[in-house]
Amino acid sequence: NPIAPQPDGYTVEGNTIRWELRDFEPTAADNIYIDVLEPGRYHALLAARDRAAREPNSVDAQLELAEAVQNAVMVIKMVGQHGGGEELAAQANAAYRRALELDPGRSETYLRYADWLLATGGWRSLMADGACPQELCDLVQSGLQVAPNNAELNELDMRIREMQAEAAPYATQNALSRTATAAAYPRVATIQAQETE
């Protein structure tokens, strides 16, 4: 459970969470994280998971689960953060994909999923180098095939294309900068190691 305290191996007694750690050299991987999710959001997440399990063929149940996960992720975890943000995000993605599988003609689902993908890295990728994440671009195009006259989907498609065009002149330079930075890390690490010897 990605909402649970990290790392595993804890016990809960009343309102106390206890870890007993012995004979180890602590590193950052051993850090203890406890995120607090307000009870309303937590119970909504549990209820949505339960409903999706009971009604696996309900589009509404899948969308409810995706929304409940989003409410948990965006409040406490953020995607890619410690302790399970990516795992929670994967649950939202799976719920959206299942909703589309159950009813591929519902334009609202494409829009909601696109908003989620944009919020969890799509905008960052587009602004950095104009790269549209494959799932996002495929999703928007699929939505436009289903609802070619949907104003919101068309506006989103146009905005993505504009951002790609704006970033195109800088995409090569950004890629070269990232490559140079990545190549420099081993050299820096080696120098730092030599300095500490």
Side-chain angles (χ1 to χ4, degrees), residues 174-189:
N174 289 342
L176 291 172
S177 296
R178 283 193 301 275
T179 302
T181 301
Y185 281 137
R187 290 195 301 272
V188 171

Side-chain angles (χ1 to χ4, degrees), residues 41-155:
R41 290 177 192 266
Y42 182 66
H43 290 294
L45 177 58
L46 294 180
R49 283 179 178 164
D50 181 61
R51 181 181 177 201
R54 284 185 290 107
E55 303 174 34
N57 296 322
S58 166
V59 175
D60 290 334
Q62 296 301 322
L63 293 176
E64 181 184 319
L65 175 57
E67 184 175 341
V69 171
Q70 285 177 235
N71 286 338
V73 169
M74 302 314 265
V75 170
I76 62 160
K77 287 287 187 181
M78 300 307 291
V79 174
Q81 203 176 5
H82 62 75
E86 288 182 0
E87 185 180 335
L88 281 167
Q91 290 176 20
N93 291 349
Y96 278 123
R97 289 181 195 129
R98 179 67 178 145
L100 287 169
E101 180 184 313
L102 291 167
D103 185 0
R106 199 181 216 182
S107 57
E108 171 201 0
T109 306
Y110 292 93
L111 285 164
R112 287 173 65 174
Y113 193 15
D115 283 344
W116 167 246
L117 292 175
L118 286 163
T120 56
W123 287 131
R124 185 172 52 246
S125 179
L126 283 162
M127 287 188 287
D129 54 17
C132 181
Q134 192 66 48
E135 184 167 12
L136 172 61
C137 280
D138 290 349
L139 177 73
V140 171
Q141 294 311 307
S142 296
L144 286 170
Q145 287 176 0
V146 168
N149 297 320
N150 183 288
E152 291 174 278
L153 282 169
N154 277 290
E155 183 179 335

